[in-house]
Amino acid sequence: APRAVTAAALSCRRYVAGGRCKSAAKLEGKVAVITGANTGIGKETARDLARRGKVIIACRDMAKAEAAASEIRAETGNQQVIVRKLDLADTKSIREFAEKFLAEEEELHILINNAGVMLCPYSKTADGFEMHLGVNHLGHFLLTFLLLERLKESAPARIVNVSSLAHHGGRIRFHDLHGEKSYNRGLAYCHSKLANVLFTRELARRLQGKSQRRAGSFLHLAFEHLTANALHPGSVHSELVRHSSVMTWLWKIFSFFLKTPWEGAQTSVYCAVAEELDSVTGQYFSDCQPAYVAPRGRDDETAKKLWSVSCELLGIQWD
């Protein structure tokens, strides 16, 4: 009986662990930027990519980021793990990061928009955006906009947006984007994750150009070989739930049924390096395979409207 229990526990654990990125692709001479890579999924993504090429860790907390980077350098032997300051809750910081990056780096092949906040008590960013929408969507929207030309010049290149299964519970509330009329921190997170999916969809559409045709069941040919995909990392035992004592407690109790940060990073790595995704764009992945997108995440009209509202809020023109 104990053996049967152990076997059952192991197969349960394997199921929870989910898909693994099997690609051995090297990124020699290539540059990857990962936001929020000082902890959790981001750190594990950075650790993996550091075994393949140059990685820039873009974080708000410089001390934590330096500690993570030196650990990764020591483990991988790659000295090209660089830390740069980026606070996604402040557009000034985003612009400063981009300016510095563009001055220092001639190429950018992979941008992983990984950083995120979850279950924050009601608060606003430096620019007056609701925190979840501001950091998870608008911050990455602006960052991508500022780095887009460098990505195009470096093509083939990839943009990877870390979304969540939580997008199923989201809606884009244009009448109350910043939650001033009503606010629920769980729903605010869901809304921001839906925004990630819609942003990815519209970005991919714009990058594809007019002349590209659809190919295969889930393949799209990417314009200039610059692709944009989104993903659900899985339910991961990470610091993301730190704003909720109840969730922190539940996460501890049910940790056996949660992915480790390493397991959670697999789909991010897969979207960043897998050779078979060279021409795949505008898709959503989970466990290293295409996954179901909620109907609201497939609404092109909402995606277009969110795009123009985002540009308006950020004071940019992105045609």
Side-chain angles (χ1 to χ4, degrees):
R3 213 174 259 179
V5 171
T6 308
L10 279 173
S11 68
C12 172
R13 193 67 206 90
R14 264 198 300 273
Y15 175 76
V16 168
R20 290 192 176 186
C21 176
K22 297 184 174 77
S23 169
K26 284 279 174 232
L27 302 174
E28 279 147 23
K30 296 198 170 181
V31 181
V33 167
I34 308 173
T35 67
N38 59 357
T39 181
I41 299 166
K43 183 178 171 184
E44 292 305 323
T45 305
R47 196 193 305 271
D48 184 292
L49 295 193
R51 293 196 174 95
R52 306 168 190 259
K54 182 173 181 175
V55 176
I56 293 168
I57 290 177
C59 291
R60 188 187 48 179
D61 187 326
M62 291 298 278
K64 269 190 182 176
E66 270 305 343
S70 61
E71 181 191 309
I72 292 169
R73 282 184 215 115
E75 194 182 308
T76 60
N78 180 3
Q79 294 312 300
Q80 289 201 300
V81 180
I82 297 159
V83 172
R84 290 287 174 262
K85 181 150 178 76
L86 170 68
D87 182 354
L88 288 158
D90 184 350
T91 58
K92 187 165 168 280
S93 171
I94 299 167
R95 288 181 181 280
E96 280 167 5
F97 168 85
E99 207 174 299
K100 193 170 168 61
F101 176 87
L102 295 171
E104 291 173 347
E105 301 292 338
E106 285 175 15
E107 294 190 306
L108 175 58
H109 305 90
I110 298 167
L111 171 61
I112 303 182
N113 290 319
N114 162 83
V117 294
M118 180 180 178
L119 303 173
C120 300
Y122 189 74
S123 54
K124 287 186 167 179
T125 67
D127 302 86
F129 309 140
E130 185 276 316
M131 192 60 73
H132 293 90
L133 186 81
V135 171
N136 299 353
H137 168 60
L138 292 168
H140 283 128
F141 187 94
L142 179 60
L143 180 66
T144 306
F145 167 74
L146 295 170
L147 299 179
L148 193 71
E149 284 311 309
R150 190 58 38 98
L151 282 156
K152 280 183 179 173
E153 290 159 11
S154 313
R158 301 183 186 191
I159 297 162
V160 178
N161 295 325
V162 178
S163 178
S164 167
L165 185 68
H167 84 270
H168 284 264
R171 55 188 325 151
I172 305 302
R173 303 166 70 246
F174 290 110
H175 66 287
D176 188 23
L177 267 185
H178 303 295
E180 287 157 334
K181 294 174 188 159
S182 72
Y183 180 75
N184 173 299
R185 54 192 188 164
L187 287 176
Y189 177 71
C190 296
H191 302 332
S192 71
K193 294 288 110 180
L194 173 60
N196 293 153
V197 172
L198 290 167
F199 167 46
T200 306
R201 188 177 178 88
E202 180 63 8
L203 177 60
R205 189 187 71 78
R206 285 163 176 262
L207 292 174
Q208 271 175 274
K210 304 274 187 292
S211 62
Q212 302 297 348
R213 65 187 186 279
R214 186 159 178 138
S217 58
F218 75 95
L219 296 181
H220 293 219
L221 291 175
F223 171 59
E224 289 182 352
H225 264 343
L226 172 54
T227 64
N229 291 299
L231 67 104
H232 167 55
S235 298
V236 179
H237 199 285
S238 73
E239 287 179 25
L240 195 58
V241 294
R242 63 185 174 273
H243 291 292
S244 166
S245 49
V246 174
M247 287 293 280
T248 304
W249 179 72
L250 286 170
W251 248 222
K252 276 201 179 104
I253 291 176
F254 295 108
S255 60
F256 182 79
F257 300 101
L258 297 171
K259 289 187 179 188
T260 63
W262 182 84
E263 290 160 353
Q266 293 304 301
T267 308
S268 293
V269 173
Y270 174 74
C271 288
V273 305
E275 297 88 341
E276 64 267 31
L277 299 189
D278 273 348
S279 305
V280 177
T281 192
Q283 299 301 314
Y284 172 75
F285 293 85
S286 177
D287 282 327
C288 302
Q289 55 190 10
Y292 179 75
V293 177
R296 283 195 186 113
R298 287 179 268 134
D299 186 329
D300 290 330
E301 286 318 301
T302 306
K304 285 173 190 157
K305 187 174 176 184
L306 178 64
W307 185 283
S308 64
V309 169
S310 300
C311 287
E312 229 168 274
L313 288 168
L314 293 162
I316 59 174
Q317 274 193 305
W318 189 354
D319 301 321

